[in-house]
Amino acid sequence: MNFLRGVMGGQSAGPQHTEAETIQKLCDRVSSSTLLDDRRNAVRALKSLSKVSNTLSLIKFVKLDVSYFNKMFLLCRNTAWKWVYKLWTILSMFYKQIEENSTRQSEDFGSQFTEIFIKQQENVTLLLSLLEEFDFHVRWPGVKLLTSLLKQLGPQVQQIILVSPMGVSRLMDLLADSREVIRNDGVLLLQALTRSNGAIQKIVAFENAFERLLDIITEEGNSDGGIVVEDCLILLQNLLKNNNSNQNFFKEGSYIQRMKPWFDVGDENSGWSAQKVTNLHVMLQLVRVLVSPTNPPGATSSCQKAMFQCGLLQQLCTILMATGVPADILTETINTVSEVIRGYQVNQDYFASVNAPSNPPRPAIVVLLMSMVNERQPFVLRCAVLYCFQCFLYKNQKGQGEIVSTLLPSTIDATGNSVSAGQLLCGGLFSTDSLSNWCAAVALAHALQENATQKEQLLRVQLATSIGNPPVSLLQQCTNILSQGSKIQTRVGLLMLLCTWLSNCPIAVTHFLHNSANVPFLTGQIAENLGEEEQLVQGLCALLLGISIYFNDNSLESYMKEKLKQLIEKRIGKENFIEKLGFISKHELYSRASQKPQPNFPSPEYMIFDHEFTKLVKELEGVITKAIYKSSEEDKKEEEVKKTLEQHDSIVTHYKNMIREQDLQLEELKQQISTLKCQNEQLQTAVTQQVSQIQQHKDQYNLLKVQLGKDNQHQGSYSDKTQVNGIQSEEVGRLREELEELKSNQELLQSQLAEKNSLIENLKSSQTSPGTNEQSSATASARDSEQIAELKQELATLKSQLNSQSMEITKLQTEKQELLQKTETFAKSVPVPGESEAGMATKTTDVEGRLSALLQETKELKNEIKALSEERTAIKEQLDASNSTIAILQNEKNKLEMDVTDSKKEQDDLLVLLADQDQKIFSLKNKLKELGHPVEEEDELESGDQDDEEDEDEDDGKDQGHI
């Protein structure tokens, strides 16, 4: 402060603009002084001056020379001196003072400062780069300054940040800062950054913002957290609202599942703090952002499905039925549940099953309707209940039928112990409270929306007006109340109900016209010249009379279309009638109601139109105008064309249904063919494997045959005893090896035969079981025939193998006899000259020993051959038994083949019938085209595709038969 007094000394009495000169001198010293003390003192003086300086002087100084800011930024960036970091604080304090003074001054000093600051985009870029500094005294003031800039000129600053390299990514790093002050201010900065900028919203979302924000909310305690939770939720709203890409990313990332713990409110006695109420309110709004009716239908339904699967809808219904919940949270919860179930059948069915925790339990719909028709409940709560009921019935014909059924005589509880939804609606419809009348009429109209069946069913409802008087229909009671001249809100509600009821329902129109007092009442109301308040009622009466003309089937002779038109022309005038009809769409509340489906009104007086009713008016206003000006001849022609088109439509519908049935049958046949193909492929692979095994056996047999031939040649060429003795031992070893191979082959054949026998037994059991032959299909018959053929082939191979083995055994026996004869001849042969008698004696003893060993081995071979022959006879017996089984299965196969032939004939007949029907449909379409009725070309394409598929199926069947 001493330095400040020195700078400003002698100038206190001067004009006020010297403050700008003082700031300029101080900035010069900060940027150009070489002494450390001078720069430190200049920074201290600027900091003190920022607290007391006049804002206007600062603005003038900034306008004078913006380069000083750049110099300060460069000092902060390039200097490690800790006092320079305080320049950030000085700038933030300057800007804070400007913001505070701008609320009191006539001039917007904050916008002026921001405009001057961002005039050079390098200032914002340098500011973003300085935010990378981890030092608290640099990062935190920079966050505050950038947040203030975004609040003043958000779009311009957003554009500069968007084009800056890694600008958004640098700001996202603030959420990972370990210091909560910087992290929390970073959330506020991102709030201002993402407001109304879809490009930045997408970048922030793909920078893992959802994961980080949800982690912060969880760390802070979900709904029990502080204001940080609220700030994170507001940032999530900015990222998701009206941003389909981010909504899809949020859903695909399984972040909806992480929202469920938010609504675990715990014990009802735990208390509701103001911050908890605020947090829950914003959380509910965030859920509504994901399922808003303004979103694309596909995105909304996928979010609704995810909310049901993760249990979020169940959690919301728990809050809805809980006690001790604040009124504003309860109202917002009802609105949230409404949009979660709107138009999604699964969620609507679940909501219909929810019961309130009462004794006895009551459906949640009944409890909510009790609040709607109770005039002591808050207005916003009654509007929320009406919206919930509308969303429950939206595109829900099942729910509409359940509501209307509670009004029918067969379902009304005679004991009076329980109150149904229909009884509550009727009670509200005829109560003395006009708001209850309007809400009940609109709710009942939604039960009839686009549902001709329920419109006809509601005609059966009878009401007991007083004791001793006969019951009156609901339609008649509505017209009676309408004619009694009640409040405008009540009459508007009843007229909307009647218009919805009679539209697209000629039977209801006939019932309405059957009462002779209704048409004179409507014409009287339309013809009168009333005040502005009654003009809306006149317009609705004109709409109701126009509906009675347009949807009239001329079943009542006294109120045919032409007579009603003549009546309008005589008593009202066509131009006057059309003018009164136009009063509806010109009303100021009509355009307001047509914007959103939620009935959101500031007060009960504004509750006049329903959103769905505005759609009906927009649809019918033009066609009614045309119907009034049409002549009788045009009406007759139009009716004839309608009847013709209806007949053609019925014929086309009949043939379409027939074609669908035949398509189903063809699909079944295709499935059967595919299964047969799979079985055929499996059998072919099995046959291939068996063929390969047979080839291996043949190769082994040929090898043995060659080896035996070579042995015979060697035996004929040997001339001396030593060679003969060695050859005999080698041949005996070979014989042993061959016997071992024969044994192993025989065991393998026996195992295969056992497997085939078990398979035959299974086939026999399946064929002989009671009721199996009658229930077997063409697929089973084909499979059995293939298996029988396979068994035959395998049995033939087994027989051939046994014959070859028997021949080999015979050959071995003959070779053994020849060897014995050779040994005997060698034993009797004359000794070779030149050898001594002693040597001959030793050799003779050796030969005798070897001969005895050979005789022993020969006996063993005989025993083994005998065992093999016995096994061969047993195998032959088993083959005979299997042959008999095969004969039985062959008979069954013949029967099944007859069944398959019959089914193929039926299929051919179906194909011929389809071709005839296609020809008929083609001729009918030509007639329709001649009559001027548009015909879609897709049907022809579909029929063509079906014919192609049938041809392909026939070709496949022929190929299968050749195989």
Side-chain angles (χ1 to χ4, degrees):
M1 292 299 292
N2 293 330
F3 179 75
L4 179 62
R5 292 190 189 99
V7 173
M8 299 182 64
Q11 296 179 2
S12 59
Q16 225 177 23
H17 67 273
T18 57
E19 291 183 359
E21 297 176 0
T22 304
I23 295 170
Q24 183 175 358
K25 291 180 181 179
L26 292 174
C27 290
D28 287 335
R29 294 195 179 188
V30 170
S31 59
S32 60
S33 295
T34 57
L35 296 176
L36 182 63
D37 292 336
D38 290 344
R39 298 173 72 179
R40 181 186 295 115
N41 292 331
V43 170
R44 287 177 177 174
L46 282 172
K47 184 176 180 181
S48 300
L49 188 64
S50 63
K51 298 179 181 179
V52 298
S53 178
N54 189 349
T55 304
L56 185 58
S57 299
L58 293 174
I59 293 295
K60 290 181 179 179
F61 168 68
V62 172
K63 287 182 178 180
L64 181 65
D65 192 355
V66 185
S67 61
Y68 285 106
F69 290 103
N70 298 330
K71 294 177 182 178
M72 293 180 188
F73 290 154
L74 290 172
L75 284 172
C76 293
R77 183 65 175 169
N78 300 325
T79 307
W81 178 44
K82 66 179 181 179
W83 283 100
V84 179
Y85 290 157
K86 293 187 178 298
L87 290 173
W88 277 111
T89 308
I90 295 168
L91 287 174
S92 298
M93 295 178 71
F94 278 166
Y95 202 84
K96 183 177 180 182
Q97 187 179 6
I98 290 171
E99 283 186 326
E100 291 175 354
N101 291 334
S102 64
T103 59
R104 297 190 297 267
Q105 301 288 341
S106 59
E107 297 179 8
D108 190 0
F109 295 128
S111 298
Q112 294 180 23
F113 180 83
T114 305
E115 186 176 357
I116 295 169
F117 184 82
I118 68 174
K119 191 172 184 180
Q120 294 185 1
Q121 295 187 5
E122 293 80 6
N123 292 338
V124 180
T125 305
L126 187 59
L127 178 58
L128 292 173
S129 63
L130 288 170
L131 289 178
E132 293 181 350
E133 297 291 339
F134 187 73
D135 190 277
F136 179 82
H137 298 90
V138 176
R139 178 171 277 195
W140 185 55
V143 171
K144 301 291 270 185
L145 177 60
L146 187 56
T147 304
S148 300
L149 294 174
L150 285 166
K151 288 180 179 179
Q152 291 297 326
L153 293 176
Q156 293 86 333
V157 180
Q158 285 175 345
Q159 191 62 30
I160 296 172
I161 295 174
L162 187 61
V163 299
S164 298
M166 301 296 292
V168 179
S169 300
R170 291 171 181 172
L171 299 179
M172 285 298 300
D173 293 338
L174 299 173
L175 296 180
D177 201 304
S178 59
R179 295 160 293 192
E180 292 187 0
V181 176
I182 295 178
R183 183 199 69 183
N184 299 341
D185 285 339
V187 173
L188 297 175
L189 171 61
L190 290 173
Q191 280 184 21
L193 179 66
T194 57
R195 190 173 290 114
S196 303
N197 194 307
I200 294 179
Q201 290 169 2
K202 291 179 182 179
I203 296 173
V204 172
F206 283 96
E207 288 285 344
N208 205 20
F210 294 139
E211 185 75 26
R212 295 183 184 181
L213 292 173
L214 292 173
D215 289 340
I216 295 173
I217 293 172
T218 304
E219 292 172 2
E220 295 293 329
N222 293 327
S223 61
D224 294 323
I227 195 171
V228 179
V229 174
E230 181 184 356
D231 294 335
C232 292
L233 292 170
I234 294 173
L235 177 54
L236 285 173
Q237 276 190 6
N238 290 348
L239 295 175
L240 293 173
K241 194 170 185 179
N242 298 324
N243 195 318
N244 298 328
S245 176
N246 284 1
Q247 289 176 7
N248 186 54
F249 181 69
F250 190 84
K251 176 184 69 67
E252 295 295 336
S254 300
Y255 296 120
I256 293 178
Q257 288 79 349
R258 297 187 61 178
M259 298 171 70
K260 182 185 175 183
W262 295 355
F263 304 100
D264 187 8
V265 296
D267 188 8
E268 61 188 31
N269 297 323
S270 60
W272 293 79
S273 63
Q275 188 60 52
K276 182 176 182 179
V277 171
T278 304
N279 291 343
L280 266 176
H281 198 272
V282 182
M283 288 173 177
L284 292 169
Q285 289 180 344
L286 186 60
V287 175
R288 294 184 65 185
V289 166
L290 295 172
V291 293
S292 174
T294 59
N295 294 342
T300 301
S301 61
S302 60
C303 290
Q304 290 172 333
K305 180 180 179 181
M307 289 177 183
F308 176 77
Q309 290 177 346
C310 72
L312 179 59
L313 175 60
Q314 294 84 332
Q315 198 74 25
L316 293 174
C317 291
T318 302
I319 299 176
L320 189 65
M321 294 290 104
T323 57
V325 179
D328 53 347
I329 294 297
L330 180 61
T331 302
E332 191 64 24
T333 303
I334 295 173
N335 290 327
T336 305
V337 171
S338 305
E339 295 183 351
V340 173
I341 68 174
R342 187 177 188 268
Y344 193 69
Q345 187 67 47
V346 177
N347 293 4
Q348 290 169 339
D349 292 341
Y350 171 77
F351 183 71
S353 64
V354 176
N355 290 323
S358 60
N359 191 14
R362 290 179 176 175
I365 298 174
V366 173
V367 176
L368 291 174
L369 288 177
M370 292 173 68
S371 301
M372 186 186 74
V373 298
N374 187 355
E375 55 184 315
R376 290 176 294 181
Q377 293 292 338
F379 173 67
V380 291
L381 179 63
R382 298 173 74 180
C383 291
V385 172
L386 177 61
Y387 184 47
C388 184
F389 191 74
Q390 291 174 352
C391 293
F392 170 68
L393 297 178
Y394 182 70
K395 293 183 180 179
N396 184 10
Q397 293 191 354
K398 179 182 177 182
Q400 290 175 332
E402 291 174 354
I403 296 298
V404 174
S405 65
T406 58
L407 286 166
L408 299 178
S410 58
T411 58
I412 294 177
D413 187 6
T415 60
N417 294 329
S418 61
V419 180
S420 65
Q423 292 173 346
L424 289 171
L425 290 176
C426 283
L429 193 63
F430 306 125
S431 69
T432 56
D433 180 26
S434 61
L435 183 59
S436 298
N437 301 151
W438 191 91
C439 292
V442 171
L444 197 56
H446 277 262
L448 307 175
Q449 198 76 36
E450 297 180 358
N451 196 329
T453 303
Q454 302 309 322
K455 291 177 182 179
E456 296 176 5
Q457 289 293 323
L458 199 63
L459 295 172
R460 298 169 50 200
V461 177
Q462 300 290 323
L463 302 175
T465 56
S466 60
I467 300 174
N469 293 329
V472 180
S473 67
L474 178 61
L475 183 64
Q476 183 61 42
Q477 185 65 16
C478 290
T479 56
N480 292 340
I481 296 175
L482 192 62
S483 61
Q484 291 174 3
S486 54
K487 295 181 180 180
I488 293 179
Q489 193 173 35
T490 301
R491 285 183 286 166
V492 169
L494 291 172
L495 285 169
M496 287 194 297
L497 172 61
L498 291 174
C499 290
T500 305
W501 193 347
L502 269 60
S503 62
N504 294 294
C505 186
I507 298 176
V509 172
T510 303
H511 280 71
F512 178 77
L513 296 176
H514 190 72
N515 187 353
S516 59
N518 289 338
V519 174
F521 169 74
L522 293 177
T523 55
Q525 289 288 319
I526 299 169
E528 289 183 2
N529 293 322
L530 303 174
E532 293 183 358
E533 295 181 354
E534 295 292 334
Q535 286 183 352
L536 180 58
V537 176
Q538 287 182 322
L540 292 172
C541 290
L543 178 64
L544 182 58
L545 185 57
I547 291 172
S548 301
I549 294 173
Y550 185 73
F551 296 103
N552 192 346
D553 58 357
N554 294 327
S555 57
L556 293 177
E557 186 176 356
S558 57
Y559 290 107
M560 297 176 69
K561 285 185 178 181
E562 191 61 31
K563 291 184 178 181
L564 290 174
K565 290 180 185 178
Q566 293 174 1
L567 184 64
I568 290 174
E569 189 172 2
K570 289 179 181 179
R571 296 189 179 181
I572 304 171
K574 292 182 179 180
E575 291 76 10
N576 190 21
F577 178 85
I578 299 302
E579 182 183 359
K580 297 292 179 68
L581 182 62
F583 286 162
I584 302 174
S585 57
K586 293 178 182 178
H587 201 277
E588 58 180 354
L589 297 178
Y590 175 87
S591 59
R592 183 172 183 175
S594 62
Q595 295 175 359
K596 293 182 180 180
Q598 182 182 0
N600 189 9
F601 304 100
S603 61
E605 293 77 16
Y606 291 89
M607 188 175 271
I608 297 296
F609 286 108
D610 174 58
H611 177 74
E612 293 296 328
F613 180 74
T614 59
K615 293 182 180 179
L616 182 66
V617 172
K618 187 177 180 180
E619 177 186 353
L620 295 179
E621 186 176 3
V623 296
I624 290 174
T625 302
K626 292 180 181 179
I628 295 297
Y629 285 105
K630 278 183 181 179
S631 62
S632 59
E633 294 179 356
E634 292 177 348
D635 288 337
K636 289 180 181 179
K637 290 181 180 179
E638 187 177 355
E639 289 178 0
E640 290 177 358
V641 171
K642 283 184 178 179
K643 289 180 180 179
T644 306
L645 291 175
E646 288 175 358
Q647 291 176 357
H648 287 300
D649 290 340
S650 63
I651 294 172
V652 171
T653 304
H654 172 69
Y655 280 108
K656 282 184 178 180
N657 294 331
M658 187 180 295
I659 290 170
R660 287 192 189 97
E661 293 176 358
Q662 293 174 353
D663 288 340
L664 293 175
Q665 294 176 359
L666 286 174
E667 288 296 330
E668 293 177 357
L669 292 174
K670 287 180 182 179
Q671 290 178 359
Q672 292 178 3
I673 291 171
S674 62
T675 53
L676 290 173
K677 284 182 179 179
C678 294
Q679 292 176 1
N680 186 22
E681 291 176 356
Q682 293 176 359
L683 293 172
Q684 284 181 354
T685 53
V687 168
T688 305
Q689 291 177 357
Q690 291 178 358
V691 168
S692 63
Q693 291 177 359
I694 291 169
Q695 187 64 36
Q696 289 177 0
H697 290 307
K698 286 182 179 179
D699 295 339
Q700 292 176 0
Y701 171 74
N702 293 328
L703 181 61
L704 289 172
K705 189 175 180 181
V706 171
Q707 288 177 354
L708 288 172
K710 289 181 180 180
D711 292 340
N712 291 330
Q713 291 177 1
H714 286 299
Q715 289 174 2
S717 64
Y718 291 151
S719 60
D720 56 355
K721 290 182 179 179
T722 306
Q723 290 178 348
V724 169
N725 293 333
I727 291 169
Q728 288 175 352
S729 61
E730 290 176 358
E731 288 177 351
V732 171
R734 288 176 182 175
L735 289 172
R736 286 180 180 177
E737 291 176 358
E738 289 173 358
L739 285 173
E740 292 295 329
E741 289 178 357
L742 290 172
K743 285 181 181 180
S744 61
N745 290 333
Q746 190 174 11
E747 290 175 356
L748 179 62
L749 292 172
Q750 285 180 352
S751 62
Q752 291 178 356
L753 187 60
E755 291 177 357
K756 301 304 176 183
N757 286 334
S758 62
L759 182 59
I760 290 168
E761 291 296 327
N762 292 331
L763 289 172
K764 288 170 67 178
S765 61
S766 63
Q767 292 293 328
T768 55
S769 59
T772 304
N773 291 331
E774 291 77 9
Q775 297 176 356
S776 62
S777 62
T779 305
S781 65
R783 185 171 60 250
D784 293 339
S785 62
E786 294 291 338
Q787 290 178 353
I788 290 166
E790 182 184 353
L791 287 172
K792 283 184 176 181
Q793 187 176 1
E794 290 180 354
L795 287 172
T797 55
L798 287 173
K799 286 181 179 180
S800 63
Q801 289 177 1
L802 285 173
N803 292 329
S804 63
Q805 287 179 358
S806 62
M807 292 172 66
E808 289 175 359
I809 291 168
T810 305
K811 288 181 180 179
L812 290 173
Q813 288 178 351
T814 56
E815 290 174 357
K816 185 189 75 171
Q817 294 295 331
E818 291 175 358
L819 287 172
L820 289 173
Q821 292 176 1
K822 287 180 181 180
T823 54
E824 290 176 357
T825 56
F826 279 117
K828 296 177 181 179
S829 63
V830 181
V832 179
E835 290 183 348
S836 63
E837 293 181 358
M840 290 294 295
T842 55
K843 288 182 180 180
T844 302
T845 54
D846 292 335
V847 168
E848 288 177 354
R850 288 181 181 180
L851 284 174
S852 62
L854 286 172
L855 290 173
Q856 184 65 30
E857 290 175 356
T858 304
K859 289 180 181 180
E860 293 176 358
L861 288 172
K862 285 182 179 180
N863 295 329
E864 290 175 356
I865 290 168
K866 185 178 180 180
L868 287 172
S869 63
E870 290 176 355
E871 290 176 356
R872 188 184 69 175
T873 55
I875 290 171
K876 285 183 178 181
E877 291 175 357
Q878 291 178 356
L879 284 173
D880 296 334
S882 63
N883 286 330
S884 61
T885 305
I886 287 169
I888 296 170
L889 292 174
Q890 185 66 33
N891 295 329
E892 296 294 335
K893 174 196 167 186
N894 294 331
K895 293 180 182 179
L896 293 173
E897 284 178 351
M898 293 295 292
D899 295 337
V900 171
T901 304
D902 295 336
S903 64
K904 286 183 178 179
K905 289 181 180 179
E906 292 176 357
Q907 185 177 4
D908 293 335
D909 295 337
L910 285 173
L911 293 174
V912 172
L913 181 60
L914 277 175
D916 295 337
Q917 288 175 351
D918 289 336
Q919 188 63 31
K920 291 179 181 179
I921 290 171
F922 182 75
S923 61
L924 288 172
K925 286 181 178 178
N926 290 331
K927 291 181 180 179
L928 288 174
K929 288 180 178 178
E930 292 174 0
L931 292 171
H933 183 69
V935 178
E936 296 180 356
E937 296 297 330
E938 294 178 357
D939 296 339
E940 299 176 1
L941 295 174
E942 291 176 358
S943 63
D945 294 338
Q946 291 174 0
D947 293 337
D948 294 338
E949 292 175 359
E950 291 171 1
D951 294 337
E952 291 175 2
D953 294 339
E954 290 178 1
D955 295 337
D956 293 339
K958 292 178 181 178
D959 295 339
Q960 181 67 27
H962 290 305
I963 292 172

